[in-house]
Amino acid sequence: MNEHALSSETHDYPYPDSKGRYGAYGGKFVPETLMPALTELEDAYNRAKDDEAFQRRLRRYQKDYIGRPTPLFFAERFTNRLGGARVYFKREDLAHTGAHKINNALGQVLLAQAMGKERIIAETGAGQHGVATATAAAQVGLECDVYMGEEDMARQELNVFRMRLLGARVIPVTAGSRTLKDAINESIRDWVTNIGNTHYVLGTVHGPHPYPMICRDFQKIIGEETRRQLQEKEGRLPDVLLACVGGGSNSIGLFFDFLGDPGVRMIGVEAGGFGIDTQRHAARFAGGVQGTLHGAMSYVLQDIHGQILGTHSVSAGLDYPSVGPEHAYLHGAGRVQYVYANDDEALEGFQLVSRLEGIIPALESAHAIGHAVKIVPAMKPDEIVVINMSGRGDKDVQQATRFINPAKEDL
Amino acid sequence: MNRIDARFNELRSRGETAFIPYIAAGDPILDRTEQFILDFEQAGVDVLELGVPFSDPLADGVVNQEAAQRALQGDVSLEDILAMVKRVRQGGCELPLLLFTYFNPVLAYGLELFAAAAADAGVDGVLCVDLPVEEAEEYRQRLQDKGIATVFLAAPTSTPERIKRIAEASTGFIYYVSRTGVTGVQERVEDTVKGAVGAIRQHTDKPVAVGFGISRPEQAAEVAAYADGVVVGSAIVRLIGEHGNHANAIEQVGAFVRSLVDATKSVRRAAS
């Protein structure tokens, strides 16, 4: 494997390269029909990047519509409870629609509009990306269809209603495991068929190039703000960054601006589900191997014949058998450490932060909290940990009632 | 010489067009697939595309998705398919065989091991539906070293520069996808297909086959008038879905395949 050591300056960071690769990972593993569309998208994105009017419009939306910058909040009672490092939450849960997903969805919808596309499609797992895309499409007046696995529709009824309220059509996916991966298959089939007038808003840092790059670029504002905000509050860099990793967009968003700071440790937390020995999990780095799925070379949970395995997580947003190719690279380069938290640890973090801070985190974000509970007590009081509170947990309350009974829990 | 090249040379000298059916290997079970292969050879099929079932077939419509699911219910693997191919070759079958697959099962097998095993089994060509020419350098090298043809897709969206590159990278033939979409049946073949095949011919002398959406004998005849090969997949796979488990499956499917062979062969083009 050809893994380069990371340079200390993020702007020298060479990925993706001209082939859309992050070391051995990434690329474009898609049917020929899509290849010209990916080139068109990359060209349009590069033009938008240099277009001052586009950037002004994006910044205005980020500020006045999404509500950026999101706060960086010192979680004092949580810090005191764990008795180690000082813990901050980056409050992406306070972004419009309740999660970081809007950063990418809005950016891509503005891009689609600049490309002259009339129709938007998206896949969704937990429903957060679907809601964010439906929201952005409503804001600029584009038609929007969202593919969602039947199983996820049942788990996330509230978000299905929200998307429909926002004027999107939610199309149930009944193939395969009826979850996120099948919704992506169906979105790609739709895109192949309607490529002339449709833009596919892929919701994470996965898929064929240029998607992982575009999504990362729209999410990296999370880390840029965190750096500035922490500088104001503490006058220094964080020691540890913690974020959950499904496809990996909120984590890349937080990490990217700090890749060139060698003193900043980064930990991505995958879904351990029922435990990785049970084969019912979504911990790609712990249980996966190199493979191609949905257009990218990365780590994939698969059997020895290359068939994709089913996954399990209490949180729909982490329930996915592959991970963004840039994470695969950062894993190989040793720059980011990848761990996992099981369902029960996430549910514990979910309740703990709700009670101690009055913040109900998304079950996805609760995985990062679950890991913080393990490592923060052993850290020094002058150290600083930032957890990406990637989304709010209102959407998960119904699901959580199946597993916990807050009245009986004594923390 | 590779069986696919030999067959196209022979057809060219007679002014005939190749008929190329697609079936999913292992649908409903591999023994049945073996019987189809032997019957298709008798029926005058020129090249058979054998689909390797994959759990996430994102280029396929619902008919081929369901076929892959049926095959995977029987746990059919690439390894099993190669063993079956080897068996039919040992029995004397000379029908040119092309594996139609997604890249991940091939990658999981290992490119080098796969190329050796496929050549040993008697596979003549491979088409990876989600492997564009940009990503295919090592793959092409490994397969071509073993004398296996690498067929690539060209699409209505492909630019002239891409067509040129695809034509260069393809061996055996070039597979023109007749529409922007997934595999499946459609009412009519788009008017633009003939012109697109002509445009590919400006870059290459290699045979050009047309597929995706051709389902009836009259459509096959229409395309046979200008293409070197006609591919029919979903319409046959649908029939296998309906009759595959029945005692008369071979007769039912064989009769339809023969009607498509006849339609394709009813057309004569200038021999060369």
Side-chain angles (χ1 to χ4, degrees):
Chain A
M1 219 165 290
N2 179 24
E3 312 277 18
H4 300 277
L6 285 175
S7 76
S8 60
E9 297 282 327
T10 305
H11 57 80
D12 287 339
Y13 179 77
Y15 301 115
D17 65 17
S18 62
K19 293 180 74 183
R21 293 277 189 152
Y22 304 81
Y25 305 100
K28 302 178 183 180
F29 295 84
V30 293
E32 171 63 23
T33 307
L34 293 180
M35 291 298 282
L38 294 173
T39 307
E40 181 196 350
L41 177 60
E42 189 173 358
D43 291 346
Y45 175 69
N46 286 333
R47 275 196 307 276
K49 234 167 115 173
D50 297 334
D51 178 358
E52 198 32 57
F54 181 92
Q55 293 299 329
R56 244 197 330 270
R57 190 159 179 242
L58 177 64
R59 279 195 301 272
R60 184 169 63 78
Y61 269 113
Q62 285 170 337
K63 180 168 176 285
D64 297 337
Y65 189 69
I66 299 179
R68 304 208 71 88
T70 58
L72 182 72
F73 176 70
F74 175 51
E76 192 170 0
R77 296 190 69 216
F78 185 62
T79 294
N80 292 341
R81 169 62 67 100
L82 297 186
R86 295 164 67 78
V87 180
Y88 282 83
F89 295 159
K90 178 59 175 166
R91 300 290 311 274
E92 290 302 296
D93 59 317
L94 292 178
H96 182 43
T97 72
H100 71 290
K101 291 291 183 188
I102 190 74
N103 299 330
N104 170 58
L106 185 79
Q108 281 202 42
V109 165
L110 294 179
L111 190 58
Q113 202 182 28
M115 289 167 78
K117 303 289 181 182
E118 298 147 12
R119 175 173 174 260
I120 295 296
I121 57 170
E123 85 293 342
T124 198
Q128 290 304 98
H129 174 59
V131 167
T133 306
T135 298
Q139 173 56 224
V140 305
L142 290 177
E143 189 191 336
C144 178
D145 288 340
V146 180
Y147 288 94
M148 188 169 190
E150 250 187 354
E151 160 121 13
D152 289 337
M153 286 179 73
R155 286 197 277 196
Q156 302 286 349
E157 260 177 89
L158 186 63
N159 273 342
V160 173
F161 183 80
R162 288 168 83 193
M163 286 184 270
R164 288 177 173 154
L165 186 63
L166 291 159
R169 201 154 61 112
V170 181
I171 306 171
V173 177
T174 54
S177 60
R178 291 170 292 158
T179 61
L180 178 57
K181 86 174 169 74
D182 308 286
I184 296 177
N185 290 339
E186 215 49 50
S187 302
I188 294 176
R189 290 181 189 120
D190 181 314
W191 198 33
V192 169
T193 309
N194 300 296
I195 205 148
N197 71 346
T198 298
H199 174 66
Y200 174 24
V201 179
L202 210 159
T204 188
V205 289
H206 203 280
H209 178 71
Y211 278 106
M213 171 182 77
I214 291 176
C215 182
R216 175 193 78 192
D217 288 357
F218 285 135
Q219 293 292 0
K220 69 185 165 73
I221 191 167
I222 301 172
E224 290 165 355
E225 288 175 6
T226 299
R227 175 189 294 273
R228 218 170 39 239
Q229 290 166 326
L230 198 64
Q231 193 62 39
E232 281 164 19
K233 290 176 197 297
E234 298 271 358
R236 68 178 189 89
L237 290 169
D239 296 287
V240 173
L241 301 176
L242 265 177
C244 64
V245 184
S249 68
N250 91 79
S251 49
I252 279 285
L254 177 65
F255 297 165
F256 190 72
D257 197 57
F258 295 96
L259 286 177
D261 298 298
V264 180
R265 267 178 71 202
M266 301 174 193
I267 304 172
V269 187
E270 298 185 282
F274 291 130
I276 65 162
D277 302 334
T278 65
Q279 305 293 318
R280 299 201 59 200
H281 64 85
R284 290 67 45 99
F285 290 116
V289 295
Q290 215 185 85
T292 51
L293 179 67
H294 296 145
M297 175 82 72
S298 186
Y299 273 72
V300 181
L301 289 171
Q302 55 180 311
D303 71 13
I304 53 162
H305 301 298
Q307 305 295 343
I308 309 308
L309 291 172
T311 53
H312 164 79
S313 170
V314 67
S315 75
L318 304 184
D319 203 351
Y320 180 61
S322 187
V323 60
E326 192 160 19
H327 286 287
Y329 164 74
L330 293 168
H331 172 263
R335 181 64 187 94
V336 178
Q337 182 193 356
Y338 294 87
V339 299
Y340 54 89
N342 295 348
D343 285 355
D344 52 355
E345 293 164 333
L347 287 164
E348 217 181 288
F350 179 72
Q351 296 172 86
L352 192 62
V353 166
S354 297
R355 288 197 181 189
L356 290 175
E357 298 291 353
I359 295 169
I360 301 173
L363 281 176
E364 289 77 15
S365 321
H367 284 71
I369 297 163
H371 190 69
V373 170
K374 294 183 210 170
I375 64 163
V376 170
M379 293 177 70
K380 295 191 207 80
D382 62 345
E383 290 184 300
I384 296 168
V385 174
V386 177
I387 300 175
N388 199 5
M389 200 59 65
S390 55
R392 69 179 183 219
D394 309 43
K395 70 181 174 62
D396 295 313
V397 169
Q398 205 177 3
Q399 163 87 344
T401 56
R402 294 168 46 198
F403 301 101
I404 55 178
N405 183 350
K408 289 186 185 157
E409 298 280 330
D410 192 17
L411 289 167
Chain B
M1 185 189 261
N2 182 299
R3 290 184 192 86
I4 295 173
D5 293 333
R7 180 63 60 105
F8 273 107
N9 286 346
E10 199 185 307
L11 292 173
R12 223 167 233 194
S13 70
R14 296 204 300 260
E16 278 184 29
T17 299
F19 177 66
I20 310 174
Y22 165 96
I23 60 173
D27 171 29
I29 54 167
L30 263 184
D31 284 350
R32 189 62 99 194
T33 305
E34 196 172 329
Q35 293 168 339
F36 284 132
I37 294 174
L38 299 177
D39 183 60
F40 288 3
E41 186 174 31
Q42 294 303 313
V45 160
D46 295 295
V47 178
L48 174 62
E49 282 185 17
L50 268 182
V52 176
F54 182 51
S55 54
D56 293 79
L58 53 75
D60 281 301
V62 69
V63 171
N64 286 348
Q65 289 172 42
E66 287 173 358
Q69 277 313 115
R70 289 193 295 268
L72 288 174
Q73 271 157 22
D75 280 332
V76 168
S77 68
L78 185 48
E79 209 171 345
D80 299 334
I81 294 165
L82 293 178
M84 184 272 292
V85 169
K86 193 165 179 169
R87 242 178 0 255
V88 301
R89 289 291 184 227
Q90 281 164 349
C93 172
E94 285 299 315
L95 177 62
L97 294 174
L98 177 83
L99 292 184
F100 185 102
T101 185
Y102 288 81
F103 187 49
N104 202 50
V106 171
L107 190 67
Y109 202 109
L111 283 183
E112 196 174 357
L113 286 174
F114 169 71
D120 176 59
V123 167
D124 304 294
V126 181
L127 191 167
C128 266
V129 66
D130 56 351
L131 191 70
V133 285
E134 283 86 343
E135 304 287 356
E137 209 169 310
E138 188 192 347
Y139 159 90
R140 278 171 59 200
Q141 194 63 54
R142 297 283 187 201
L143 290 179
Q144 289 174 9
D145 279 353
K146 296 288 181 186
I148 297 175
T150 54
V151 177
F152 285 91
L153 299 173
T157 51
S158 304
T159 57
E161 301 80 65
R162 293 193 61 79
I163 295 279
K164 189 158 175 273
R165 218 169 147 185
I166 290 161
E168 278 165 15
S170 288
T171 55
F173 62 95
I174 294 148
Y175 187 132
Y176 181 71
V177 173
S178 70
R179 60 159 178 203
T180 56
V182 293
T183 60
V185 299
Q186 65 185 1
E187 275 312 299
R188 49 191 298 275
V189 178
E190 284 172 38
D191 300 331
T192 51
V193 175
K194 185 178 180 181
V197 170
I200 297 173
R201 290 200 199 285
Q202 301 199 328
H203 297 284
T204 182
D205 291 331
K206 292 171 187 170
V208 182
V210 174
F212 276 43
I214 303 170
S215 56
R216 293 195 307 271
E218 55 277 24
Q219 293 172 323
E222 183 191 334
V223 173
Y226 56 80
D228 300 297
V230 176
V231 185
V232 176
S234 297
I236 299 170
V237 173
R238 188 159 62 190
L239 213 53
I240 294 175
E242 288 163 10
H243 301 287
N245 284 316
H246 300 168
N248 65 350
I250 304 299
E251 290 76 26
Q252 291 278 355
V253 176
F256 181 54
V257 167
R258 281 169 178 79
S259 74
L260 292 162
V261 172
D262 289 346
T264 307
K265 304 294 175 180
S266 69
V267 179
R268 279 286 184 282
R269 292 178 296 133
S272 58

